[in-house]
Structures are given as C-alpha cells and as structure tokens.
Amino acid sequence: CVGFSHRFFPHGNITQKAYDEAVLAARQEIQDISQEFSSRHWHHVVGASGTIRTIEKIINSDRLAYGIIQRDDLHQLAKQVVNCGNTNQLNLPKLSLARRPVLPGGLAILEGIFIELGIDELHVSNYTLKEGIIYELVGRKDHIDKREETFNHLILQYNIDRFQAKRVEMLCYRLIDNFDSPLSFSGSPLKNLIHWAAGLHELGLSIAHSGYQKHGAYIIDNADLPGFNRLEQRWISFLVLNHRRKLKTLETSYGFKPDWNLLLLFRIACLLQRRRTEVSLPNLSIEAKENYFQINLPKKWCKKNPIVMQDLKAEVDYWAVLNYVFVISVNDKNLHKDETMNSDITDSELKKIKKLKKKSIKKLHKKSISTVEELAGVKKKKLAEMLDIKKKKAGKIIESAQNQIAAEHTSADTSVADKQEEEANHESQNTKQPIADKTNESTSSKPDLDTNSKQPSSGKSAKAEITNDNPDTTANVTPLNVTQEVDQKGTKKKKKG
C-alpha cells in the first residue's frame, strides 16, 4: 500500500488516470496466479490487514452490515476518493489521519484483486499474518509440517532420485556423528537441513547436467517455497550450490553466515556416493581446525577406489581458493565390509520410497503424453493454416490466369469482328463499282435527253406500280418511266417519271 501510494499518488495528489494505472498495475502483479485462484477454485474469500479492515469500516459506517466488502461498494468508494483530489482532503468516516496517505494505494490494490480474481464479496478477518505464523508453528508441533509437503512436491516435480538422496543423507549423518568440531546447527534443525539439502541437491539435473548445482541452488533460493523461511532457503541453497566442483560464497543476508565445516561433511558424503550404488564404505574420519581439514582413509580402500581418490585430490585445489588446507591421510586400517549405506534404511522406508518413485513415474508419463498430444495438436493447426494459405495463393493464381485468358479471348473476338467488318466493307465496295459502271454504260447508249423536253400531256409523271407477292420475283420487275441519274460519286438515284 505504501509503495503504490508513493508510486502513483505522489504528494498525495489523486487523479482518475493515476488511480486507473494503479489498479492495472495491481492486476498485473497477480496475473500469473489469476487462473489458479479464480472463482471456480473457491467458495469464500477472506481478507486480512489493516487497510482492508479500514476500507470495510468506511463502507459499512452507516449500515448494519459488518465484516463484508462488496465490489459495487468498493467502486463507489474509489469514486469518492478520486473526487477528493488529495489525501489531505479525505474526510471519510472511520478513517484515521495515519491511514490517509496509504488509502488510495491500498484501495487500488484491493479493487485490482477483486477484478482479476472475479471476487464479488470479501469477508474481512480480524486476524493478521502474526496469527498465521503461530498457526503454522503449532501445526509443526502436531506433525503437520508444510515444509515437508513442499519438499515432497519438489522431489516429484523434478523427478529426483530418492534412493540417491537417502544414501547421501545417511552418510552425512554418520560423518556428523564422528565429527568433533562445532557446527552452526545441532539437534533437529541440523537433521532437517541435511534432510532437505540431500533430498534436493540433484534438483538441477532436470534442467541441465552441466552445472546442475547452479540451477538447483537458484531455484531453491528464489522460488516461493511454502513453509520455508528465507534463512532456511538460503542455507539449503548454499549446500546445494557447493556440493560439487568449485566453491562459491553467498552474500551474508537474512542472518546467513556460511558454515564451511558443515559444507565439508556434505561435500564428502556426496563425493563418496557418486557411484549411486549401495557400496561398502570405509571407516573414515574427518578432522577440522581453523582453515585446516584432514580426512583419514584406509590404504586398501584407496587402492580399490582410484576414481574417488582422484576426486578427493581435486578437493585440495578447490579448498585452497578459500585459503583452506585439505589433507588426505591414508593409513593401514582395514575396510569394514559390513558397513553399507543400506544398514541405516529400514524395509518399510524402502517400500515407501519405491511407492513414491512409482507414483512420480506415472505422473511424468501422463505429463509426457499430454505434452505430446498438445504438440501434435499445435502441429496439426499449423499445417492446416499453411494449407489454407497455399489454397488462397493457388486460388489467386488461378483467378489471375482465368482473367488473363478471358482478356485474351475478348481481344481475339474483337479482332475477328473488326476483320469481318473490314471484309464486308471491302465486298460492298466491290459490288457497288460494277453497278456504277453499268449505269454509265446505259446512260451513254441512250440519246441525250433535253431537260427542257416536253412532259406528258397530263403534266404529271407516271408512277411505276410494282406489285409482287413473291419477294423472289421482285428482281425481274422493271419499273415504268423511271429515269436514272448518276451523281458525282457514282451512286444511283431514282426519280419519278
């Protein structure tokens, strides 16, 4: 609430634009979990904090209702706050002077939560985070530890080998029992820390084999692990990060200070169990002084395990970076063949581990099947989209080709029609020429008539009456008293005689 108020309402100024931006920012913060906590996953919503209680008192100050905030009431209160313009002008009932500067930010956050999670009604609790912490601690006392639930969930989620984790855990306990130097923890806190670190030290293998300790440590240090506090996460991350290869320090924070003695025991346990089988282990001992470590091993065992010895020799260089002296002492003590990792694991524990492993394998199998089906569906969808695109392109090509062919046909028809018309004109000219010639011949064979010659006695030209029912015989009928004249162009004209 304080951060939002300073960010969106500097100097106490309240505007509608700033308030809308604050609501949107609040929705963005919970967008990743909005589906998981949407309205279909719960029946009632309970809110707890000083700001929520203050908002509820303001809304229900003049009502008989108590302990409930509804979305419509929240929206109306937001309008009142914006209309005030400044936090100094917030003269609302039940609002103390100390709450005025943070009310706009808290109100925007609460409205954003209502919108994003689909909440219509919220019940206000008089309890706060303090009571929740106490309740969780009481649960641990009654053997209901949220941390163990989170731990088991991580093992299933990242498919961690429980058998290997158990081997490392039990060997580390043995080394601690024979270790005389002080450690940062003792009793059940130390046992819990080794249990969690051994169980999660191979968490990063599900991401990448190369540098897997870095991946695992990052997840443990930065993830939200219900039940674990930040100091516990930092300790587990420290042991996981440094259980192999080069040693790295972490920043001193959350009250954390590295315990190199504890790390040495954890590194040796992981190193000796690197073969991931139930092998016989030597009767070894580790001594620690200020910036000095010494491991004592039987000579015969060292000869039988040259790879382990090579790894131990590499530890000399790793510890030298931190100004620690690491000494490997080989003595003539015999190997205790009966000492195996399995000696501390009961049959019932082994059965439980096997059952859990089977369950995790089944879950992973179902997950892989669903993933493959999703990928197949995505691939089919992409193929269908590609086919649609290709069909559209082919349709466009065909359409353009058809248009081009139609245009060519149209131009061809036009040219043919023009040619036919030209030929027709040419034929008509040829037919007109002989008629004109005949006309000239006929006029030249007759004697010239005097235009002033006398007309018939009636004074009128005799009309040529041509009647013929048969159109085919019209060409054989000769008009009477028709004089033909030829104009300058050679065309025929008929005049009445």
Side-chain angles (χ1 to χ4, degrees), residues 63-323:
R63 301 179 184 176
L64 296 175
Y66 176 76
I68 294 174
I69 299 175
Q70 294 183 342
R71 183 187 289 195
D72 294 338
D73 296 333
L74 197 66
H75 188 64
Q76 292 299 324
L77 178 60
K79 286 183 178 179
Q80 293 180 28
V81 171
V82 171
N83 290 334
C84 290
N86 193 282
T87 53
N88 294 327
Q89 305 298 323
L90 292 174
N91 297 318
L92 299 172
K94 306 291 184 179
L95 178 63
S96 63
L97 292 174
R99 285 284 175 186
R100 283 184 181 182
V102 298
L103 179 66
L107 185 62
I109 292 171
L110 188 59
E111 187 170 5
I113 293 172
F114 265 69
I115 295 170
E116 194 65 23
L117 300 185
I119 301 172
D120 293 323
E121 185 178 87
L122 180 141
H123 298 267
V124 180
S125 172
N126 291 322
Y127 299 102
T128 58
L129 186 62
K130 301 188 293 292
E131 288 80 7
I133 293 172
I134 294 170
Y135 180 77
E136 183 179 345
L137 293 173
V138 171
R140 293 179 188 177
K141 186 178 179 182
D142 295 335
H143 308 290
I144 305 171
D145 196 341
K146 185 65 178 177
R147 296 174 299 177
E148 197 63 23
E149 291 181 8
T150 304
F151 171 76
N152 290 324
H153 175 73
L154 288 173
I155 287 178
L156 291 173
Q157 182 179 358
Y158 292 98
N159 195 28
I160 298 172
D161 187 349
R162 286 180 178 269
F163 290 99
Q164 176 65 8
K166 193 67 176 179
R167 284 190 285 266
V168 172
E169 179 185 349
M170 299 310 298
L171 179 55
C172 199
Y173 290 153
R174 279 181 52 192
L175 296 177
I176 290 171
D177 291 339
N178 296 326
F179 193 72
D180 296 330
S181 298
L183 299 172
S184 299
F185 300 92
S186 61
S188 59
L190 175 61
K191 188 175 180 181
N192 287 336
L193 180 59
I194 296 300
H195 170 64
W196 296 325
L200 302 176
H201 78 282
E202 290 186 334
L203 183 147
L205 280 174
S206 62
I207 299 171
H209 187 273
S210 177
Y212 70 85
Q213 72 277 8
K214 300 175 187 177
H215 306 311
Y218 180 83
I219 291 171
I220 294 168
D221 196 32
N222 293 278
D224 291 328
L225 303 181
F228 288 93
N229 59 49
R230 295 299 302 163
L231 183 58
E232 289 170 338
Q233 288 185 229
R234 179 54 61 94
W235 269 107
I236 300 169
S237 176
F238 169 70
L239 294 177
V240 171
L241 177 64
N242 292 290
H243 82 271
R244 66 191 288 265
R245 301 294 175 87
K246 294 180 181 179
L247 294 163
K248 300 175 181 65
T249 58
L250 294 178
E251 294 180 3
T252 302
S253 59
Y254 302 107
F256 170 79
K257 186 178 179 180
D259 187 343
W260 300 110
N261 290 347
L262 179 60
L263 178 62
L264 172 69
L265 300 176
F266 190 69
R267 278 177 73 94
I268 296 300
C270 294
L271 188 150
L272 294 177
Q273 292 293 350
R274 196 163 290 172
R275 294 185 67 180
R276 313 180 71 84
T277 57
E278 296 170 1
V279 295
S280 298
L281 294 173
N283 185 17
L284 58 87
S285 63
I286 299 175
E287 301 175 12
K289 298 177 183 178
E290 187 176 355
N291 290 12
Y292 177 86
F293 296 133
Q294 179 176 322
I295 181 169
N296 303 309
L297 295 166
K299 187 176 182 179
K300 289 183 178 179
W301 186 87
C302 293
K303 287 182 178 180
K304 290 181 179 180
N305 297 273
I307 298 175
V308 176
M309 291 305 298
Q310 193 67 27
D311 291 335
L312 286 171
K313 289 176 183 178
E315 291 292 309
V316 176
D317 297 328
Y318 293 147
W319 286 101
V321 176
L322 297 178
N323 297 322

Side-chain angles (χ1 to χ4, degrees), residues 152-162 203 205-207 355-373:
N152 290 324
H153 175 73
L154 288 173
I155 287 178
L156 291 173
Q157 182 179 358
Y158 292 98
N159 195 28
I160 298 172
D161 187 349
R162 286 180 178 269
L203 183 147
L205 280 174
S206 62
I207 299 171
K355 285 181 180 179
L356 288 170
K357 194 170 184 180
K358 284 181 181 178
K359 286 182 180 178
S360 63
I361 289 169
K362 285 181 180 178
K363 284 186 177 181
L364 286 170
H365 182 65
K366 289 180 181 178
K367 263 188 181 180
S368 61
I369 289 172
S370 61
T371 305
V372 169
E373 289 176 351

